Amino acid sequence: MAELQERTFIAIKPDGVQRGIIGEIIKRFETKGFKLVGMKMLQASEDLLMQHYIDLKDRPFFPSLVNYMSSGPVVAMVWEGKGVVKTGRVMLGETNPADSKPGTIRGDFCIDVSKNIIHGSDSVDSAKTEISLWFKSEELVNYTSCAFSWLY
């Protein structure tokens, strides 16, 4: 049963928010069958972003990444379901949109790697870390979807 409650962190980046595709992205995750258990829109602080991208701090693009991510509002979400981390990454497409297949979020909506619309956790462990960084436990909702028995 625990595998059905796997969680991932998904963030719609400032360019996705500004382009008005929040609903389209949510629709794709809902249509797939994943359950939204947390969501908020916020202007991410530089401190939060530096913690979130700590593994990239030595990369030459780190300052521009933090600047880009703090340039506008972000929609932070937690999605739940069987294999949501791996499947979510497939749904996003490759980090570089030029390498993303049509049908993926980045393949359908992105052109340049520096504005690639969305972030998704790359492992169950990083999902746990990212979720705890962006959400307090009381901001996440536990419930059974009426579609649960039709999905599993």
Side-chain angles (χ1 to χ4, degrees):
M1 197 66 164
E3 80 220 17
L4 304 181
Q5 296 176 341
E6 181 179 293
R7 289 181 170 178
T8 194
F9 174 74
I10 300 290
I12 303 174
K13 297 177 179 182
D15 54 319
V17 172
Q18 293 293 331
R19 291 179 56 200
I21 57 174
I22 297 166
E24 175 65 33
I25 291 169
I26 291 170
K27 178 184 175 188
R28 288 178 182 224
F29 279 85
E30 286 181 327
T31 301
K32 183 68 178 175
F34 294 126
K35 181 172 70 171
L36 183 62
V37 297
M39 181 171 75
K40 60 184 169 181
M41 180 182 267
L42 69 152
Q43 183 77 36
S45 70
E46 194 172 296
D47 287 342
L48 173 60
L49 294 167
M50 291 178 95
Q51 289 177 57
H52 179 85
Y53 289 113
I54 192 76
D55 58 321
L56 302 174
K57 70 177 171 57
D58 296 327
R59 304 292 286 272
F61 59 82
F62 181 72
S64 62
L65 174 62
V66 171
N67 186 50
Y68 153 63
M69 287 296 293
S70 62
S71 68
V74 172
V75 174
M77 299 176 284
V78 179
W79 289 91
E80 184 178 281
K82 183 177 181 182
V84 71
V85 172
K86 182 178 179 182
T87 303
R89 293 288 292 187
V90 171
M91 291 170 64
L92 268 57
E94 299 299 320
T95 301
N96 185 343
D99 299 329
S100 295
K101 295 181 177 165
T104 65
I105 293 166
R106 290 178 177 144
D108 290 349
F109 299 112
C110 302
I111 295 172
D112 190 79
V113 70
S114 70
K115 303 255 185 328
N116 66 4
I117 293 184
I118 194 163
H119 166 84
S121 300
D122 62 6
S123 70
V124 173
D125 287 339
S126 69
K128 288 176 184 173
T129 300
E130 291 172 352
I131 291 167
S132 67
L133 188 62
W134 290 78
F135 288 88
K136 298 174 187 160
S137 61
E138 62 268 17
E139 293 177 305
L140 302 177
V141 181
N142 291 308
Y143 66 99
T144 301
S145 167
C146 61
F148 183 84
S149 63
W150 296 103
L151 292 166
Y152 302 106

